[in-house]
Amino acid sequence: MIISGIALSLFIGLVGVTLLGGRLRRFVPSEQLSAESKDAVKLALGLVATMTAILLGLLISSSKGAFDTARTEVIQMAAKVALLDRVLKLYGPEAMDARRALRDAIADGIRRTWQAEQSRPVRLDPNQQIGDAVYAAISRLAPRDEAQRALKTQAATLMVQLAEIRALLQAQAVPSVSKPLLIALMIWLVVIFLGFSLLAPSNATSTLALMAGAFSVACAIFIILELDFPFAGIVRVPSEPMIKTLAHLGKDTS
């Protein structure tokens, strides 16, 4: 909701600046709008527009990188959970309690991370009690031979790796987009739209063209901010890998 408000505010602000520039153009003396003056202003605005495009690309790359990292870690977590369940299944019926505890932990993690209501805050902090229950269930296993001993060791290793990925997701849940860079980008956009609205003729075609540009830029800012919060908002890391893994866990552990 906040992200949508920021993008909408930027769009309204740029449209307002465009309309303001069209009105201010009437009060600018004609000698200030000579061909030489317009060329100088266009040169300066072109430089600002180039810097804006570079900065916009950097912000998109930063937020997309953070989103892809979180998505990759979720896929890795789903794969390791499936492998851990397979290891416990190979261990034998004695590991059934550990598999049930694992299923409950994954179900709880999905509920906390992917809230059904987007207005509710996302909780990336791991549930220590449920996680400890899974590790304790694995630790209580008493291997009877070398094969079970190796499987128990592998299961404990996978549990540690899962805990590391979960902790990494929580540690990375900070904005990757720099606020000063975002503010600088918005200021440059205001300068660009004000400058072009002063130079453009006062007609519906040029005004609509500038409004279309304002809408495109606002959409770009919206996408940047959405990607920067991969587990909240409209654009979210998909939960399908974890849900499919949970469905597989629930087949023979009920």
Side-chain angles (χ1 to χ4, degrees):
M1 196 66 183
I2 297 177
I3 295 175
S4 301
I6 293 174
L8 181 60
S9 300
L10 177 62
F11 172 69
I12 294 175
L14 293 179
V15 170
V17 167
T18 300
L19 297 178
L20 177 63
R23 290 185 176 273
L24 291 177
R25 189 176 189 277
R26 303 173 184 176
F27 302 99
V28 178
S30 57
E31 60 271 12
Q32 299 294 330
L33 295 177
S34 62
E36 294 80 4
S37 298
K38 288 184 176 180
D39 290 340
V41 173
K42 289 180 180 179
L43 179 62
L45 290 178
L47 178 61
V48 176
T50 301
M51 293 188 299
T52 302
I54 294 174
L55 183 54
L56 188 62
L58 290 175
L59 292 177
I60 292 177
S61 177
S62 177
S63 59
K64 184 63 166 59
F67 183 89
D68 289 341
T69 298
R71 181 175 178 272
T72 300
E73 290 171 351
V74 168
I75 294 175
Q76 289 178 350
M77 184 179 295
K80 289 184 180 297
V81 168
L83 180 58
L84 175 57
D85 181 70
R86 179 62 178 170
V87 169
L88 294 175
K89 185 176 181 180
L90 291 174
Y91 187 93
E94 304 94 324
M96 185 58 67
D97 291 340
R99 296 182 66 197
R100 292 195 183 99
L102 176 63
R103 181 195 60 191
D104 295 340
I106 298 305
D108 178 76
I110 293 175
R111 286 193 299 267
R112 290 159 63 92
T113 306
W114 290 275
Q115 300 283 352
E117 299 178 6
Q118 295 187 1
S119 59
R120 298 179 61 184
V122 177
R123 300 182 60 185
L124 292 178
D125 55 310
N127 190 326
Q128 299 290 346
Q129 184 177 0
I130 293 183
D132 292 345
V134 180
Y135 194 81
I138 294 176
S139 299
R140 287 195 299 267
L141 295 175
R144 297 191 306 269
D145 51 33
E146 288 298 327
Q148 286 190 338
R149 187 172 294 105
L151 290 171
K152 179 180 177 179
T153 301
Q154 182 65 31
T157 301
L158 288 171
M159 272 299 302
V160 173
Q161 293 175 355
L162 285 170
E164 290 176 349
I165 295 176
R166 188 69 180 184
L168 190 59
L169 279 174
Q170 182 184 4
Q172 292 173 344
V174 294
S176 62
V177 175
S178 173
K179 289 184 179 179
L181 291 181
L182 192 61
I183 293 174
L185 175 64
M186 293 181 179
I187 293 175
W188 291 351
L189 287 172
V190 170
V191 172
I192 291 172
F193 278 83
L194 180 61
F196 279 117
S197 62
L198 286 172
L199 298 178
S202 300
N203 54 49
T205 301
S206 59
T207 301
L208 289 176
L210 290 174
M211 288 184 177
F215 178 77
S216 300
V217 172
C219 289
I221 297 298
F222 175 80
I223 293 174
I224 289 173
L225 296 177
E226 280 286 331
L227 292 176
D228 201 35
F229 296 91
F231 294 99
I234 299 175
V235 183
R236 296 196 290 180
V237 171
S239 60
E240 282 76 11
M242 296 301 297
I243 292 178
K244 290 180 179 179
T245 301
L246 178 62
H248 178 75
L249 297 181
K251 288 182 177 180
D252 54 353
T253 58
S254 302

